[in-house]
Amino acid sequence: MKINLKKTALLLTGILTCGKLFAQVPDTTQTSADYVKPFAKDNSYRTWSIGFSGGVLSSYTILGSNKHLDFTSPNAQLGYGGYIKKQITPAFGIEGDLLAGKLTSDNSQPDAVGKTYDSFSTKLRYALSLGANVTVGNISWHDNAGAIQPYVTAGGGIIGYKPVLTANGTSSNFKTTDNGVINEFFIPIGVGLKINVAKGINIDLGYQVNFVYSDNLDGYNYGTNNDKFSYAHIGLEFAIGNKSKPQMAVYNPVSSMRAEYMMENQNTRAQLQSQIDAQKVQNDQLKADLATTNATLAKFTADSDGDGVADFYDKCPNTPAGTKVDGAGCPLPVAKPEVKVYVTEDDRRVAREAVKNLEFDFGKATIRQHSDESLNKLAQLMVAKKFSLKLSGYTDNVGSVDANLKLSRDRAEAVKTYLATQGVDPTKITADGYGKASPIASNKTAKGRQQNRRVEFSLN
């Protein structure tokens, strides 16, 4: 790509020299007058700014190669611009941009009939746009105000330009009316970096690709793509407003919150120490009170007869050693000798008959009436011989695990309840359910499933 940067170099040198002079101003971003509390209102900042830039305009962009351009040899030309911006938040602003300059290139692509042009020259009379400026990061390690702000921009606007084509040494306007000027819509998208060189003054380095909503920018309709051009620039941004206020775009809310925390922490140290000293006095008093309380409680823990009941609560003092006592310290009644119970074959036959005749309503824990006679005989046997009984409920494999487990438990409990109504001591009956566990027949047949739906009895 041919580079013609004489005018551009002069402009950039001037901007850099100016920026260098500004950079000599001492940094005052850490002064107390510049500090703003977190979540302060917008009028605590400078939210308006203006900027000026100069740089290189070219029909070449980083989004494509020269061989796809209408003219394959783009030249670099001087471009210049300016903007005014309103910062809404530290990360987001709205700005109006103006860009002007010139685009040139040589060697057009041949069209379908082999027609070519030597070059084109397009004067950008203006490119006015309104867009968003989003700060990607506000980099700062020590200061409330950031030092570097990467950003992206995007917007839309109107561009006015005048393309002139040259073929065989003869130049002509692409458009023959309106003095050759074309007005169209375009979309500018850019990235950049702002460097804070002084309070309210930033160097702006950026690159912008402008998408024109037509293929007329170079005056030559070739291919199917719309034209686009780039603007690489350097410039200066100046914050507008009260110089004592920080610029919102470079302000770091996180650092501000940290500074606020540090200041509040400093102010409360004396108060915290005073509270700690007061708490120590209270702790000493509590220790003294606790010693008095322990002495008072000692009399409640004395146990002269060693029966495990303190003398203060012992209603039967001087109980002989080894005597089992109740909560009041009095001897417990002597347990009666255990009477062994023997289960005969006839007893087991009564239990088997009760199991054999035991039936429930389908899917319920309701005992059918014809089971009562066998259960009554079992109840009479248990009352007469003081037997203990274990009930174990089971189901087939139809239904969910939880449902079967509940049903088996409910049926075992139903048998226990029935026997209790017949005079059996309920403390001698244990009932539990095991769902579809331990089948005694195949669950693949109706008969097998019927056999698995059971309550087993165990006398002892």
Side-chain angles (χ1 to χ4, degrees), residues 222-240:
Y222 175 80
T224 59
N225 295 325
N226 290 341
D227 289 330
K228 54 184 177 289
F229 66 96
S230 64
Y231 178 50
H233 65 271
I234 182 171
L236 289 173
E237 180 184 44
F238 302 91
I240 302 173

Side-chain angles (χ1 to χ4, degrees), residues 46 57 92 192 326 332 350:
R46 283 187 281 176
L57 282 171
F92 178 79
D326 58 17
L332 292 170
V350 172

Side-chain angles (χ1 to χ4, degrees), residues 13-87:
T13 301
I15 292 175
L16 288 173
T17 303
C18 184
K20 185 175 181 181
L21 291 174
F22 282 126
Q24 305 305 314
V25 179
D27 184 8
T28 59
T29 55
Q30 281 294 79
T31 63
S32 58
D34 193 42
Y35 176 72
V36 177
K37 287 189 175 183
F39 312 111
K41 295 182 179 180
D42 288 353
N43 59 13
S44 301
Y45 308 90
R46 283 187 281 176
T47 59
W48 286 94
S49 62
I50 58 173
F52 306 95
S53 65
V56 177
L57 282 171
S58 175
S59 57
Y60 171 77
T61 71
I62 61 174
L63 303 179
S65 62
N66 290 355
K67 66 181 181 179
H68 294 139
L69 301 177
D70 294 353
F71 287 80
T72 59
S73 301
N75 302 314
Q77 295 290 344
L78 173 65
Y80 50 91
Y83 64 84
I84 182 168
K85 182 176 67 170
K86 167 65 175 177
Q87 200 71 28

Side-chain angles (χ1 to χ4, degrees), residues 302-311 313-331:
D303 183 10
S304 301
D305 56 8
D307 60 359
V309 179
D311 293 346
Y313 302 102
D314 199 340
K315 295 181 178 180
C316 301
N318 304 316
T319 303
T323 303
K324 294 183 178 181
V325 298
D326 58 17
C330 297

Side-chain angles (χ1 to χ4, degrees), residues 23 36 78 80 215 223 357 382 408 410 425 436 454:
V36 177
L78 173 65
Y80 50 91
D215 194 19
N357 295 324
M382 292 184 65
S408 64
D410 291 345
D425 184 357
K436 62 181 181 181
R454 68 196 187 280

Side-chain angles (χ1 to χ4, degrees), residues 128-158:
L128 292 171
S129 64
L130 181 66
N133 183 300
V134 179
T135 301
V136 180
N138 199 333
I139 304 170
S140 174
W141 290 271
H142 303 290
D143 302 329
N144 286 331
I148 301 174
Q149 291 86 42
Y151 66 86
V152 296
T153 60
I158 300 296

Side-chain angles (χ1 to χ4, degrees), residues 241-271:
N242 190 334
K243 293 183 179 180
S244 65
K245 297 180 180 180
Q247 184 180 356
M248 180 184 283
V250 303
Y251 199 71
N252 191 330
V254 176
S255 180
S256 177
M257 292 177 69
R258 177 182 177 276
E260 183 74 9
Y261 166 77
M262 296 298 290
M263 287 190 295
E264 291 182 358
N265 183 57
Q266 220 171 27
N267 294 334
T268 56
R269 283 183 180 179
Q271 297 177 3

